[in-house]
Every structure is written in structure tokens, then in C-alpha cells.
Amino acid sequence: MAVAALRKYEFEPADAPAKFHGAQLLYVGWEDHLMFCAPFAFPLPPTMPFGTVVEQVLPGAFGYHPDFARIDWAKAEWFKSGRRWMPDFGKSLADNGLGHKDVIRFRTPGLTGIAGSCS
Amino acid sequence: MDMQVAKKKLGLKERYQVMTRGLDWTPSYQKMEDIYPYAAYEGIKIHDWDKWEDPFRLTMDAYWKYQAEKERKLYAIIDAYAQNNGHLNVTDARYLNAVKLFLTGISPLEYMAHRGFAHVGRQFPGAGPRVACLMQSLDEIRHAQTQIHSLSNYNKYYNGFHDFRHMLERVWYLSVPRSFFDDAVTAGPFEFMVAIGFSFEYVLTNLLFVPFVSGAAYNGDMGTMTFGFSAQSDEARHMTLGLEVIKFILEQDPDNLPIVQRWIDKWTWRGYRVLTLVGMMMDYMLPKRIMSWKEAWEVYFEENGGALFKDLARYGIRPPKWLDQISFDKDHISHQAWATFYQYGAAAAFNTWTPSDEEMDWLSQKYPDSFDKYYRPRLEYWREQAAQGNRFYNKTLPMLCQTCQIPMLFTEPGDPTKICYREVDYQGSKYHFCSDGCKEIFEHEPEKYVQAWLPVHQIYQGNCFPEGADPTAEGFDALAEVLKYYHVEMGRDNLDFEGSEDQKNFDQWRGQATKNA
């Protein structure tokens, strides 16, 4: 459908990729850990290797949780737009097929938050 | 001989006729569609504006007289409250954080409603609804004024009351109520009436005004209680106007039904999302609680709203969409919202805290199916960490819903352990939503919502720093600069209530009233 309007109604999206100074947005959620109330939004260069995101970006965001130190990344399950997905840690975000405003989640089997409450 | 004597006074009905319909005229040298350009493009068909029945026969002079009496009483109470240091009679300075949220998040909506009704009051070709909208526009600006005036007393003593107008267009969580009204005032006149006149005023404001204002009374806040009751007596008039408009539109043409139904679905959902803030105020921010959010929802939405939708069934209107999810959510949203503000308490314009044991027990009792299982462990963990000097402040910005602009904190229907993710590809770009409701609203008018001013994205674009800030400078502290842009003073307006200036001052001032030292 389309907006009902008196005349032509076309505007540029407020979040067009060109507005982020070379970065693209990546959303990342940690399943079963709702102590973090929502997935996070990160502005990252598309050339950043996926392994760098995991090693350098995620600890600052999720490190407060006592489960974070216990994560075995080899066992982590990844999802992109809700579907199972395998990132290549050595390749860049772009080469992993991650574009502007893509959403990924990871599940860490065996870790279910504070007192198993998914917090 | 019989003399024809001119009648000195008009009867009520004639007087009303003269002062409302008498102001209308038929244009002779301009086309109706040029004078009322917004009357037809939404697809609503009105065949006879004279079929409009005014729910209240209110004219400007009567309005003036009636409201002046109310204002005299209101201002007498506000003055007495201020002169007698009424602010020290509230239950606890924590309570004032609910008032700060009201001032920044709700009072500006009254002003936006004023603008909306003034606009709509110009756009309807019928004189009856034009006059009714004008009256409501006046009510709304009065509400904004009386609320701001009543609450200004607190600004002398407590932090966080200093710049609500500036904050409205900048602070991340205030984009939620603001975008709700931006959406409504940029819609056509009929959609605005269904959005605000019906869905918000009729279906949802009871939940805002009755339990919250009762909460103010319970917590000793006579100023808020007084403006609340003053406003509530107008709300009855607004609700009736909203209902009359819906009935009028539906009676005019059967083609109007599907359009109105879609607006009811959309605006009930959007309003429900905004009310998440009120749920959190009731369950977490009132030191002395009156009823839980869940109880309020059951009384004011499920029972009262349910009866309303039964009445409207004869026009072919069905209850709003997504009620199953709404019904499930009533056990969860207030806890999910408070957890969000607690962790982003460094970027809020009020203090946050974890509930005491007694308060957690109250929450367990009110939410036997959800609180202990999902939320208590989280809150207790945070409290222990805070006691050890490791208070949780989340510094990474959250992903937001493109429609309601709330962080993606809501969970899947039926599963409170899984965040609800929905997405749409539109013109080569991805858009994300917290729910089926927000997704469907976007899909109907994507051109509108792609323009959404999402605070997180705006911060990352560099649009939320004070003038002259250089994000490329070494040691640039993005959070500190964003707070400056918000006019939130670090360490005074934000962070934990425990140890806050508000807490210390309140205890000291109240101590002076009860002790010799």
C-alpha cells in the first residue's frame, strides 16, 4: 500500500547508508540473555573481519554478564534474519554477506542466563 | 392592541445555533475543495455534514465561564501546595521521577493534541465538528499549561525538571511519545480524529489519567492530583467527541468502514505501545502503589474497552487487531520497560533503582505467573552487583523498532524469553520491528516511516552532539556529548536514585521538619 496524500509523497530514508560516514549498521542479539533488554546496534566498517567483531566489539557490549566469559565460541549457533547461518570469522562483514542494517543473533548452548531465567 | 415585542434573550438552543452554525457560510467565489483540501483524499465519504450531532452544546462564552471557575479552584490548590512546602509531603523523592517522566513524556503531548485539533478544526467542511475541535484544542492547550505550571514548583527543589521542551525533540525515549503524535498530526483530518479523538482519548486515556492520577493522590502529590482531576473532567467531553466522530463517519457511508477499522487497529496498537511507559510508572515508580498495570489494563481496557467495541459491532466494527498478544503482554511489559530504563539509567533524565524486597513481593503477588520466574532473578542480580560497586549501566545503544521507536525489548507472543524480531525489505533497505502490529503499520505506509527519526541512528550519524563537538578528536566521549545535547547533567539528573542529590536533599529537608538538629 502507499500513503494517501494530496501530491507526490517521496522522501529519502533517514537511515540511508551514505549518512553513516563509511560505517554500516549491524544489529546483534544474544539469545536467552534478556538482561540486555534489546539487541544492540553497532556502526562498523564493512571491511571489519567478523572475528574482530566477536573479539573486540562484543565484549564491551555483552561482557557485563557472568555467562559471557563462559562462552565457547566454537559451539555458538548463529542466525541471520532468524535463519541458521555460519559466519566466516576470517572474512569481512561485507564478504560474510552482511549489509547495512542486517540483524544477526547468537545462541550459546548451555548458557541460559541468571539462575536459568534467560536474563 | 397587541404589540410585537422583540425577544430579549435567545433560548439555549437558538443561541447555540447562532454561535456555531451561524458562523458557517457557503463560499460564492472559491471552490469548496480549495477551501477544504484535506476533506476527501483519505477516501472518507461524507454526504451530509448537517447530520452531525454535537455531543456537548458548548459555545465560547460558556466555555470561558465554566473553565474559569475550574481554573480558580485549581490554582488555589496549587498555590496552597507550593506555599506549604507540599513537595515534602510526597511519600518518597523516588516518586518524583514518575512526575519527571510525566512532564517530559506526557505534557508535551497535550500541546501536540492542541495543535492537532486546531488544524483539524480548520479542515472539516462541517461547522459542527469544526467548533467541537476548536473547543477541544482549547482544552488541550489548557492542560499543557496547567500541568507545566503545577509541576514547575518541583523544579525549584529537584533535578530533571528544567528543560522538558528541549528534551522532547532529542532524548531517546521521548521519541516514542513524540513520534506517536507526529504520526497523528501528519495524517489526514479523519485519521487524526480516529487516532487521537477515538483511540487515544476514548480507549486509552483512562489508563493514563485514572490510575496514574490516583497514584499521585496516594503518594501525597496534590499538585498532580489536582491538575489530573481538572483535566479528567474535560476528558469525558473528549471521549464523547471521539465516539461521536466514529459513529458519524460510519453512518455516512458503508465505504468508510474498512478505512476506519484499519485506523482503529493502527492507533490502538500505537497507543498501547506508548502506554508501556505508564505501566512501568505504576508498577515500579510509585512508592505507594494503587493497582498493578495488569489490573488497570483489565479494568480500563478489557472491561470498559470491550463493552465499547460490543456497542460498535452494530456498525460492523470488530475489536482491534493483535488483542491476543496484548492480553499475553500484560504480565510482562512493565517489567521489561523498567529493566530497560534501569540499564540505560545513565542516559535518562531521571533516576532509576531496583525495587526493595517488599516491592518485589508485591510484584510477585500481582504477577504470580511471570515476576519470580523471569524478572526477579535479573533485578536481584543487579541489586547485588550495585551493592558491590558494579552497578549495571548499559553503554551500547540498542536496536529500535522503526514504527514505535521503542528499543526492541518486547518478546514473542507466548514466549517471554525470546525477543520478537520482525523485518521488511523495502526499496533495497532493511527495516526492523518489535511486533506484527508495528510491522503491518509500516507495510501500509512505508514512505512515511522510512523518515523516522530514530535516536540511535541519529547519534551514529553524528547528529546528536552539541554544536562544535568534534567526534574525531582523541578521547571523544560520545555519551557525555549526547547528554550535553540533551541538557541532561551527568550525575545530577541521571544515574541511580541511591546516593542521588534528590534523595539527599529530600531526606535532609524532611528531617528539618521533624527533628531539632
Side-chain angles (χ1 to χ4, degrees), chain A residues 21 27 39 41 64 101 119, chain B residues 378 390 399 432 457 460-461:
Chain A
H21 314 288
Y27 303 117
Y64 187 88
K101 297 203 284 172
S119 276
Chain B
R378 184 183 310 177
N390 189 27
M399 176 182 181
H432 300 272
H457 296 178
Y460 284 149
Q461 288 177 30

Side-chain angles (χ1 to χ4, degrees), chain A residues 2-113:
Chain A
V3 170
L6 288 178
R7 52 187 75 85
K8 203 170 96 173
Y9 190 99
E10 281 176 13
F11 298 92
E12 195 194 355
D15 307 320
K19 296 182 174 186
F20 288 84
H21 314 288
Q24 65 179 36
L25 289 182
L26 178 67
Y27 303 117
V28 185
W30 184 8
E31 295 290 277
D32 307 327
H33 289 81
L34 295 182
M35 193 168 93
F36 305 103
C37 60
F40 290 131
F42 300 100
L44 302 171
T47 52
M48 182 182 269
F50 193 82
T52 307
V53 177
V54 173
E55 283 153 32
Q56 293 179 19
V57 177
L58 300 191
F62 294 107
Y64 187 88
H65 201 292
D67 277 355
F68 191 78
R70 297 185 212 131
I71 295 176
D72 177 354
W73 287 105
K75 288 188 184 154
E77 297 165 1
W78 293 89
F79 303 84
K80 185 184 167 199
S81 291
R83 282 182 290 279
R84 277 304 286 270
W85 173 73
M86 282 294 286
D88 183 332
F89 278 46
K91 284 188 178 169
S92 70
L93 297 181
D95 291 340
N96 266 295
L98 293 171
H100 183 50
K101 297 203 284 172
D102 259 327
V103 62
I104 58 173
R105 313 180 219 174
F106 61 99
R107 206 179 143 255
T108 47
L111 301 177
T112 53

Side-chain angles (χ1 to χ4, degrees), chain B residues 203-212 275 278 293 296-297 300-301:
Chain B
V203 185
L204 300 164
T205 55
N206 269 335
L207 277 151
L208 176 64
F209 274 99
V210 183
F212 182 69
L275 288 182
V278 180
W293 166 251
W297 186 259
Y300 295 105
F301 185 83

